[in-house]
Amino acid sequence: MRRAVWKARSAGFRRNHFVPVPQIESIAELNAMIDKWDADDLDRRVGSPVHDAWWAAARKTHGDATGTRELIAVLLAHRHLPHELVVIGLVRALGAGALTADSVVLEARKAAEDNTSEHQGVRHETADEAEAVASLTARRLAALPTDSRPLPSVAAYDALLRNPRKDTATS
């Protein structure tokens, strides 16, 4: 909680930026206004307690430098995804123990797909499947068509093994 710090020359108080002094009756009223402004400022920030919990777990698992890099990548995901979806991705990834930015973004996108399918009346996953982190490899392999080509022939190599060269054959 910040309190007013009066400056004689600027006729204002110091915060992160210059704010003119409002018309007030008492210092208590000013401090109440400052508390309200601080609460509004916290609402505008990107971070949340979920971000902090995920970051602490990532730093514990990967170390300070790598954990912080992963958090930065998660924060950059806010450029492309709504805040609510990123928080859902953080909660699901933290619950699954997947402490990488890729897993958070994947879970956030899955939440977006779930949200869209709910609006269309289609449900893709059960509740148990929604909790698990999806494997990208399994997802990609499931989308591949079956390979109908014949197995490669190694007959030419077998012929080389049966007829060794005469100059290198020694017994």
Side-chain angles (χ1 to χ4, degrees), residues 1-5 13-16 27-42 45:
M1 184 181 325
R2 295 188 178 118
R3 298 290 177 209
V5 178
F13 59 93
R14 185 182 181 117
R15 284 183 28 145
N16 294 341
I27 295 293
E29 186 180 342
L30 176 64
N31 286 332
M33 291 175 88
I34 292 173
D35 291 341
K36 182 186 177 304
W37 293 333
D38 281 343
D40 292 343
D41 189 41
L42 284 175
R45 292 188 182 176

Side-chain angles (χ1 to χ4, degrees), residues 83-160:
H83 176 73
E84 296 80 22
L85 291 178
V86 175
V87 170
I88 291 170
L90 282 167
V91 169
R92 287 183 180 180
L94 185 60
L99 301 172
T100 62
D102 292 338
S103 62
V104 171
V105 171
L106 177 68
E107 289 299 322
R109 288 182 178 158
K110 280 177 53 181
E113 289 174 5
D114 293 346
N115 192 18
T116 344
S117 65
E118 285 175 11
H119 293 299
Q120 296 172 355
V122 179
R123 189 163 174 257
H124 292 290
E125 300 173 331
T126 63
D128 294 337
E129 292 170 347
E131 295 295 325
V133 176
S135 167
L136 284 176
T137 307
R139 212 175 210 187
R140 288 177 183 154
L141 289 176
L144 288 176
T146 58
D147 190 6
S148 59
R149 298 178 294 176
L151 290 174
S153 172
V154 291
Y157 298 106
D158 288 340
L160 290 173

Side-chain angles (χ1 to χ4, degrees), residues 17-33:
H17 53 279
F18 181 76
V19 178
V21 177
Q23 297 295 323
I24 57 167
E25 298 295 322
S26 67
I27 295 293
E29 186 180 342
L30 176 64
N31 286 332
M33 291 175 88

